[in-house]
Amino acid sequence: MRISRARRRAGVSMAATLPLLAGALALGIPSAQAADPVPGGRAALAGTQPTWATGSADQGAASASTKVDARVYLAGRDAKGLDAYAAAVSDPRSPSYGKYLSTAQAQQRFGATQEQIDAVTQWLKSSGLTVTGSNQHYISVSGDVAAAQKAFATQLHNYRKGNRTYRAPAKNASAPNALAGAVLTVTGLDNAPHKATHQDTLPGPGAGFRNAGPFSTYYGSNVAKTLPDAYGGKVPYAVHGYTGQQLRAAYGAGEYTGKGVTVAITDAYASPTMASDAAQYAKRNGDKPYKTGQYTEVLPADYNSTEACDASGWYGEESLDVEAVHAVAPDANIVYVGGASCNDPDLLDALNKVVDRHLADIVSNSWGDIEANETPDVAAAYDQTFKLGAIEGIGFYFSSGDNGDEVANTGKKQVDTPANSAWVTAVGGTSLAVGKNDKYQFETGWGTEKASLSADGKSWVNFPGAYTSGAGGGTSSTVKQPFYQRHVVPDALAKANGATRMRTVPDIAAVADPNTGFLVGQTQSWPDKSVKYDEYRIGGTSLAAPVIAGVQALAQQAQRSPIGFANPSIYARFDSRLYHDVTDHPLGAARDLAVARVDFANSVDASGGLLTSVRSLGKDSSLVATRGYDDVTGVGSPAPGYVASYTNPFRR
């Protein structure tokens, strides 16, 4: 099966037609390549030939005996009707808004019929493929290249992709005409992985990590008076790590606690100490203790790809997600849904569990990959899950990425996926200043430039230094602009890649900068061979996503009904006092900002020395946080009044 590896976000320095508004169906999906000739009696499955499978990269036919594992995703009874209903039920301006279906109703109305499942199964078997699994979403098969070529009427060749060679279809796959309405797509005919390297500057949570200090307890409380000036003055030390009380104050939680709301979190694998770590963290940091049954887990029977995915490295991500949601929405129920690996099929299975069992109304996801590694077949499978969630009143929130415009990381300006989907809420990142008495001071877009202290301690080397990380954002190359972004996203962004308006991310934002980050607690392994709990500051848009999920839990409590796919509601509130309009220079155009930070060289203690640096705020590669919508923070971050605005239908 095609292996698409998601990157966790944590540790950066440290988802019958009803009336619709005009154009409401323009929730774009990735565009397919130009149509290839299709054999008679066949229907093309667009997007199943990757863009990198070109004639110049062709290395010849794949061996007929090579094994192929694939999934044939089912389109269901009414794919067009699913699109229309998902849009209508999510749009506050639609008469169908909020008229969600139960899981049984959704399956009965839009799910695959048993007749479709049986017919597709028979076709695959008759081609010589072996069915290895089947459910309402897909039929998984295994066989050799010869059988796959017979089934999907395309040759499988080897293609050069970068410095590697991978198998892929020589043209789009197809299905028999009689099954065209039953088959959504097929994945696994190509076997190229997504890029799996992690960009974390803090070590994986399997090994112990501590912050060195000195710290600020709130922004600006401890000024680095003995260190060199930066931007014309002394700068404060980085905060020790914000806690729930500070984040709730910054984003206007008020008296809302998320009571009666369930938030799901998906990641790969599962930390064996999560429940005890979460309880200890809440006790130590002033959060409400967990009630019996408030935190639950839904885990796969088996795991795979543990080495390739760095399984233990996902434990810190899980810790951050769970503890951040509880800190912001202390009465919300949390269900952790673990994927069997960091590969697309397993992460999709985790998301589908949430939808099929309606485990939650809000789903936080702090993982993803670059858009260049996404193929239309996989994107279509994800989007179908997100749309099925939307009609049930389930909203999916994805971190926008931690590498800014991705140029420094990949050499190409691009956005991340699945955050690029028109059916999810992409969460961008900020640098947050919470002052004395938990008073919100300001936010900038998250983008860090780092300069180290000189050997003599009198200057910053090459100040302001090199770009290290920042909130992901920009304009999609594959997904057309959805209706809710019209008249909000400037054409300078929407048309950044050409004449057609495209999906721009993010949609909304919250704290992400690890230098103004969140305090997290986790059991880790230490050099003395002990395994014990400790706490450290962390950031990334993997912090922003669960924070926004927590805020949305508060808003759903205020609304007293599911918000569902939230983007139409989020954009309806644009350009109002309900958002902090985040810019990179909140204290004036000439006022740049930075914090000082001290780290243990060995990540654990002072025995290996200390590393002192200055970290600039609001310096996100080519992305800029400006007044109005921008590609670092979207519409902005929630302000006091945002949560309460869901108490009644929103009116300007």
Side-chain angles (χ1 to χ4, degrees), residues 56 77 108 133-134 185 227 322 347 372 385 392 444 467 492 507 522 562 587 600:
S56 60
R77 290 171 171 82
Q108 184 176 21
S134 178
T185 191
L227 296 179
V322 171
L347 291 169
T385 295
E392 294 182 21
T444 71
Y467 173 75
D507 300 305
Q522 180 194 350
L587 304 185
F600 294 126

Side-chain angles (χ1 to χ4, degrees), residues 481 483-490 574:
Q481 185 182 75
F483 74 93
Y484 51 78
Q485 289 196 319
R486 293 175 188 165
H487 312 301
V488 173
V489 177
F574 172 68

Side-chain angles (χ1 to χ4, degrees), residues 1-2 62-72 124 128-132 139-152 154-158 167-169 186-191:
M1 183 168 294
R2 181 176 182 276
S63 170
S65 62
T66 300
K67 184 180 179 182
V68 176
D69 292 306
R71 279 187 179 184
V72 177
L124 296 169
L129 295 170
T130 299
V131 172
T132 57
I139 298 165
S140 58
V141 293
S142 180
D144 57 24
V145 162
Q149 291 179 155
K150 178 181 178 181
F152 300 107
T154 181
Q155 295 296 306
L156 299 182
H157 283 207
N158 294 315
R167 184 191 68 236
V186 56
T187 66
L189 297 183
D190 81 82
N191 65 342

Side-chain angles (χ1 to χ4, degrees), residues 105-444:
Q105 290 170 327
Q107 175 61 25
Q108 184 176 21
R109 186 163 174 175
F110 297 111
T113 67
Q114 189 59 51
E115 289 77 12
Q116 288 176 319
I117 296 172
D118 291 344
V120 173
T121 299
Q122 180 57 38
W123 158 53
L124 296 169
K125 287 183 176 179
S126 69
S127 301
L129 295 170
T130 299
V131 172
T132 57
S134 178
N135 59 30
Q136 61 186 327
H137 299 288
Y138 63 81
I139 298 165
S140 58
V141 293
S142 180
D144 57 24
V145 162
Q149 291 179 155
K150 178 181 178 181
F152 300 107
T154 181
Q155 295 296 306
L156 299 182
H157 283 207
N158 294 315
Y159 293 89
R160 208 172 47 248
K161 183 176 186 285
N163 296 322
R164 301 289 300 276
T165 299
Y166 299 105
R167 184 191 68 236
K171 64 179 181 179
N172 278 325
S174 63
N177 275 337
L179 298 176
V183 177
L184 175 68
T185 191
V186 56
T187 66
L189 297 183
D190 81 82
N191 65 342
H194 283 189
K195 188 172 182 180
T197 55
H198 303 294
Q199 298 303 310
D200 308 342
T201 45
L202 281 183
F209 175 86
R210 294 187 179 101
N211 301 116
F215 307 108
S216 293
T217 54
Y218 56 83
Y219 188 88
S221 70
N222 186 8
V223 176
K225 296 178 181 179
T226 63
L227 296 179
D229 288 3
Y231 297 120
K234 299 299 182 184
V235 298
Y237 283 108
V239 295
H240 187 223
Y242 290 129
T243 60
Q245 180 176 318
Q246 291 167 305
L247 296 185
R248 283 175 54 81
Y251 296 128
E255 299 300 316
Y256 293 100
T257 62
K259 186 176 182 180
V261 182
T262 300
V263 178
I265 294 163
T266 71
D267 282 312
Y269 309 106
S271 167
T273 61
M274 187 65 254
S276 60
D277 287 351
Q280 188 166 354
Y281 179 85
K283 183 177 181 179
R284 289 179 54 159
N285 292 286
D287 296 337
K288 280 189 177 181
Y290 288 79
K291 300 181 180 69
T292 302
Q294 188 177 356
Y295 173 75
T296 57
E297 297 180 341
V298 176
L299 305 179
D302 298 295
Y303 298 103
N304 65 79
S305 306
T306 55
E307 291 187 10
C309 292
D310 181 23
S312 65
W314 286 78
Y315 299 168
E317 179 62 67
E318 180 184 349
S319 301
L320 170 59
D321 295 347
V322 171
E323 290 165 11
V325 169
H326 184 70
V328 175
D331 284 328
N333 292 323
I334 299 174
V335 55
Y336 175 76
V337 186
S341 79
C342 69
N343 302 323
D344 277 338
D346 294 322
L347 291 169
L348 260 170
D349 284 348
L351 294 172
N352 281 325
K353 286 179 184 177
V354 178
V355 174
D356 295 344
R357 306 180 196 178
H358 203 132
L359 297 175
D361 293 329
I362 296 166
V363 191
S364 179
N365 311 273
S366 293
W367 46 268
D369 204 348
I370 55 174
E371 189 173 67
N373 285 342
E374 179 184 52
T375 53
D377 52 343
V378 173
Y382 273 111
D383 276 354
Q384 185 183 53
T385 295
F386 301 146
K387 287 181 282 190
L388 287 169
I391 67 174
E392 294 182 21
I394 301 171
F396 296 86
Y397 300 78
F398 276 87
S399 54
S400 69
D402 294 348
N403 295 299
D405 62 12
E406 291 287 357
V407 170
N409 183 42
T410 70
K412 177 183 178 182
K413 192 171 184 177
Q414 59 184 310
V415 298
D416 281 24
T417 180
N420 65 340
S421 170
W423 294 97
V424 308
T425 299
V427 184
T430 71
S431 302
L432 172 66
V434 179
K436 190 175 183 179
N437 298 322
D438 304 330
K439 183 178 180 180
Y440 176 94
Q441 294 186 340
F442 61 81
E443 284 171 281
T444 71

Side-chain angles (χ1 to χ4, degrees), residues 497-522:
N497 297 325
T500 302
R501 292 183 179 92
M502 303 298 283
R503 165 82 159 121
T504 311
V505 297
D507 300 305
I508 195 170
V511 58
D513 187 347
N515 305 295
T516 67
F518 179 69
L519 191 67
V520 68
Q522 180 194 350

